[in-house]
Amino acid sequence: MNPFVMQYRKLKCQLKYLTSYLDLDPRGNQVVRRTDFKRCPRPVLLLHGFFSTRRVLEVLEHRLRREGYCVWSIHLGGTMDRFNTHRIDELARKVRGKVDRLYERHPEMGPLTIIGHSKGGLIGTYYVKRLGGDARVKSLITLGTPHRGTRMAYLGCATLGWFSRSMWQLTPVSPFIKHLGEGAFPRHVRLTSIYSRDDAVARFPSSVLDVDGQPNVFNVELSGVAHGELLTRRAVWEVIQRELALGYAADDAVPVLPLAPPPPLPVALSAAASP
């Protein structure tokens, strides 16, 4: 077969996969506030990914709320005031401002956990590592986050890069990715990357963290999970539950709900993943 035809078909397949993940509904950021921050011992902030909206977090939010967590998300804006297209560092500063104002109004809130999907995980990482977020955050869980950058971003640069600078930040050779990877992650914050080799957006090993002797940094690999499914699959949720329990167990002031022994999961932990 003609190599140009093969390349075209491959590109077409990747584009179809990417567009299936995108959430283009302009009403996707219209969410109903349900969290009572006056009684919030276990707050969890959810951050969605590129060209998406808060609506993609609904399943995860429902599960967390059912388990007694105080769940909330942030309208990250972007193109047409939606779709999370702004620079990662800019959005991390927005997160810092929102979090600081919330704790000023409700100082009795417990320590914060952040769960970030895809680009949302990089926003959370930058906030904790570069903007002093470690003073508020005790755990950061990322889902399919390209900590090393992703080659899929090159396709995004060719199609969306003219209005979204964050696409260029997501490439494997970007100065942003290089700078964010420098230095150790704050030792008193637990960082866990949950990823899958079947993720066609953040392709392996882009989501694998460099542990490098850091006892608070972990990688958890799942099999058979696509990029968008990291927000909905039961196997992912069970790992998130475990990570939340481990994070809060380190703080005696915050009660941890007893968890039954989890059923066998299709999870392969790397050597560095065991707590």
Side-chain angles (χ1 to χ4, degrees):
M1 182 180 292
N2 189 307
F4 293 104
V5 175
M6 293 180 62
Q7 188 64 26
Y8 168 76
R9 289 183 176 179
K10 181 180 179 181
L11 184 63
K12 184 178 178 181
C13 182
Q14 290 178 335
L15 187 60
K16 182 179 179 181
Y17 183 94
L18 183 60
T19 53
S20 69
Y21 154 70
L22 303 179
D23 177 18
L24 303 180
D25 189 339
R27 299 165 298 176
N29 284 310
Q30 299 174 9
V31 299
V32 178
R33 175 178 167 177
R34 298 185 176 90
T35 298
D36 181 4
F37 293 105
K38 294 180 181 179
R39 291 185 291 273
C40 190
R42 301 191 300 173
V44 178
L45 170 61
L46 303 180
L47 298 173
H48 60 81
F50 174 79
F51 231 77
S52 188
T53 64
R54 290 192 280 180
R55 186 177 63 175
V56 302
L57 304 169
E58 285 180 344
V59 172
L60 181 55
E61 178 181 352
H62 174 73
R63 286 170 169 169
L64 287 163
R65 199 176 300 281
R66 186 180 58 195
E67 295 296 323
Y69 294 97
C70 304
V71 191
W72 58 295
S73 60
I74 291 176
H75 176 34
L76 297 173
T79 302
M80 297 182 292
D81 194 37
R82 60 183 72 93
F83 303 143
N84 189 3
T85 56
H86 290 320
R87 292 176 58 92
I88 298 168
D89 48 331
E90 175 185 334
L91 291 170
R93 292 185 180 91
K94 183 173 185 176
V95 168
R96 178 179 61 182
K98 294 277 189 179
V99 171
D100 286 350
R101 287 192 293 273
L102 187 61
Y103 273 88
E104 287 169 4
R105 292 195 297 268
H106 305 285
E108 70 282 0
M109 283 175 54
L112 181 63
T113 295
I114 295 178
I115 302 177
H117 179 240
S118 196
K119 176 185 171 183
L122 289 175
I123 296 170
T125 302
Y126 193 90
Y127 165 58
V128 172
K129 192 172 181 180
R130 301 297 183 205
L131 299 180
D134 57 310
R136 304 281 193 195
V137 178
K138 74 178 294 87
S139 296
L140 171 61
I141 303 170
T142 67
L143 309 174
T145 292
H147 294 282
R148 301 169 182 249
T150 173
R151 288 175 293 174
M152 182 65 81
Y154 292 123
L155 176 60
C157 290
T159 56
L160 306 171
W162 61 276
F163 67 86
S164 175
R165 294 300 303 170
S166 67
M167 271 287 95
W168 302 94
Q169 290 181 311
L170 290 168
T171 62
V173 297
S174 76
F176 175 84
I177 289 293
K178 180 180 179 181
H179 172 65
L180 188 57
E182 293 174 348
F185 197 76
R187 291 299 179 102
H188 54 285
V189 180
R190 183 182 180 90
L191 171 61
T192 304
S193 174
I194 302 175
Y195 67 93
S196 172
R197 294 185 187 234
D198 298 284
D199 185 340
V201 174
R203 291 183 177 275
F204 179 83
S206 64
S207 296
V208 178
L209 292 163
D210 183 8
V211 176
D212 195 24
Q214 299 179 86
N216 58 318
V217 178
F218 309 94
N219 292 299
V220 180
E221 182 182 326
L222 295 169
S223 60
V225 182
H227 193 66
E229 292 176 334
L230 286 162
L231 289 168
T232 59
R233 288 282 293 273
R234 170 63 63 174
V236 183
W237 165 239
E238 290 172 346
V239 177
I240 291 174
Q241 281 184 299
R242 186 198 67 184
E243 289 300 317
L244 287 167
L246 289 170
Y248 280 110
D251 188 347
D252 295 333
V254 179
V256 180
L257 296 178
L259 296 177
L265 299 175
V267 178
L269 297 181
S270 68
S274 300

